[in-house]
Amino acid sequence: MADRSLRGMRLGAQSLQSEEGVVFSPRATYTYRCATCGRDTDMVFSAEAEAPEAWECKFCSHEATLMVGSEPVVIDHSDAKTPRSHWDMLLERRTRAELEELLEERLQYLRARRGTQKIGA
């Protein structure tokens, strides 16, 4: 009975589709050099795609720069905005004198609520 059992294949283990007649899109390899660890990372992109100027280094996770020939691409960070803090945004709306006045009013209110109002103030 064991010799007559049907043999099947494992589901999901092997594909029944072959690569015959498949045409892969053209590819281009770009090299990125990490300034931190000094290693090169090769990345493959579609030939139609524009390669980014920076890529994460796969060895140390810092920023690696695209190499054109033997020179790194100069990345222009001039358009990058510096983040504004809450204090910066507050100073856009009020002057320091106005803020000092508001602070003093609020402190007087809080002291009066707690019953610790300064005498003579």
Side-chain angles (χ1 to χ4, degrees):
M1 181 118 166
D3 9 322
R4 289 199 238 169
S5 65
L6 293 174
R7 298 198 179 234
M9 62 183 296
R10 297 176 300 256
L11 290 177
Q14 297 173 341
S15 173
L16 299 176
Q17 187 176 13
S18 69
E19 292 185 8
E20 186 178 321
V22 174
V23 179
F24 294 105
S25 64
R27 305 283 179 192
T29 303
Y30 296 96
T31 303
Y32 292 87
R33 179 162 297 146
C34 179
T36 305
C37 68
R39 292 177 157 176
D40 289 347
T41 301
D42 291 330
M43 297 302 301
V44 179
F45 295 101
S46 171
E48 299 169 357
E50 184 177 331
E53 295 176 336
W55 195 261
E56 182 179 314
C57 177
K58 66 181 179 182
F59 301 103
C60 68
S61 300
H62 287 91
E63 187 177 271
T65 308
L66 176 65
M67 300 295 289
V68 175
S70 62
E71 294 295 318
V73 171
V74 177
I75 300 174
D76 182 22
H77 291 291
S78 64
D79 60 342
K81 290 184 177 180
T82 56
R84 295 185 306 165
S85 67
H86 294 290
W87 180 249
D88 295 333
M89 290 184 268
L90 187 62
L91 288 176
E92 289 175 4
R93 296 190 307 267
R94 308 219 185 231
T95 64
R96 285 185 88 90
E98 290 174 328
L99 291 172
E100 290 287 339
E101 184 181 333
L102 287 172
L103 176 63
E104 190 56 40
E105 287 176 16
R106 189 67 186 163
L107 287 173
Q108 285 177 2
Y109 171 75
L110 291 173
R111 288 177 185 136
R113 275 187 52 198
R114 289 196 302 176
T116 56
Q117 179 70 26
K118 290 185 179 178
I119 299 175

